[in-house]
Amino acid sequence: GLTTSWVNRVIKQEEYGRSNFNFQDFLVGAYISMQTQNMKPLNSVIRLAGYYPFSFTFNEVPQVSKAILRGSADLFAGILLELDMWNYLRINLSPGMHVYYQYSDRFNYVHVGGALLANLELPIAQCWTIKLDGIASLDYANLGSNKNVEVYDVCWQYQLDFGFRYSKKSINKYNYLKQQSE
């Protein structure tokens, strides 16, 4: 599927009597996710995404990039809590671990932290499902090449995903197109 991400890194400046330094990245990319099916109630999910930086701001002032070859990768792994309340709309929550790597103009960032994935599934056909995901994470951002030069006090990231799932093994018993089982 397709994904977008907003990364925020903050350096607090309280002791100097001036405003905080706020670095924001907006990225676009693609993702793939996999989940176990027959291990209820402890199904797990793994999501891997690749991004290209679309924009970068420092204290809401747009910055011009110097390099074309930039990118990032994102990994989420967690336990899937399936809330089967309705047949035609499925809501899933997944707390888990978040790892993020970004190659940028300034540094090679490495973030590690915790995240929460919220997932909405719409079964459109027997084998096809529309997936809408949202991820929010709180990360430690001082593991990359910035750790000795630019130490961040707080870092958070949020992502929005739109994708499709195809599965012959786990068919949608209830779906919008009402196809008959073979």
Side-chain angles (χ1 to χ4, degrees):
L2 301 174
T3 183
T4 58
S5 178
W6 293 266
V7 181
N8 296 281
R9 300 176 187 96
V10 175
I11 300 174
K12 294 182 181 177
Q13 299 290 313
E14 294 169 353
E15 64 270 7
Y16 300 113
R18 58 183 171 198
S19 65
N20 295 336
F21 293 153
N22 187 3
F23 302 88
Q24 295 176 323
D25 293 343
F26 173 67
L27 307 113
V28 293
Y31 80 98
I32 185 169
S33 67
M34 297 164 278
Q35 71 185 47
T36 59
Q37 185 63 31
N38 296 324
M39 299 173 63
K40 281 187 181 181
L42 294 176
N43 282 325
S44 59
V45 62
I46 295 175
R47 178 188 172 278
L48 181 63
Y51 295 100
Y52 186 79
F54 190 73
S55 68
F56 170 68
T57 62
F58 171 68
N59 286 347
E60 298 184 7
V61 177
Q63 304 295 306
V64 178
S65 176
K66 296 178 177 104
I68 294 173
L69 296 174
R70 299 169 292 138
S72 62
D74 182 81
L75 174 71
F76 172 82
I79 301 297
L80 190 65
L81 306 171
E82 298 173 289
L83 307 173
D84 292 332
M85 295 183 284
W86 303 291
N87 293 328
Y88 294 97
L89 176 68
R90 293 190 292 263
I91 299 172
N92 303 318
L93 295 174
S94 179
M97 184 185 82
H98 178 250
V99 179
Y100 177 76
Y101 171 79
Q102 182 179 357
Y103 176 72
S104 72
D105 285 341
R106 303 176 70 234
F107 301 108
N108 292 332
Y109 297 106
V110 178
H111 302 183
V112 174
L116 178 68
L117 179 138
N119 173 289
L120 184 68
E121 295 183 3
L122 304 165
I124 56 173
Q126 242 181 352
C127 300
W128 290 93
T129 305
I130 294 176
K131 290 178 55 97
L132 303 170
D133 297 342
I135 298 176
S137 70
L138 184 61
D139 297 323
Y140 179 75
N142 299 316
L143 297 173
S145 61
N146 66 303
K147 66 183 169 189
N148 296 323
V149 180
E150 196 169 87
V151 178
Y152 298 106
D153 293 309
V154 87
C155 175
W156 68 92
Q157 182 175 356
Y158 47 97
Q159 304 169 13
L160 293 175
D161 301 341
F162 174 78
F164 292 93
R165 179 180 67 218
Y166 178 79
S167 175
K168 280 194 157 211
K169 298 277 185 186
S170 176
I171 64 168
N172 296 317
K173 183 177 175 185
Y174 300 98
N175 58 67
Y176 296 120
L177 297 181
K178 307 274 192 233
Q179 295 175 335
Q180 296 295 323
S181 306
E182 296 177 8

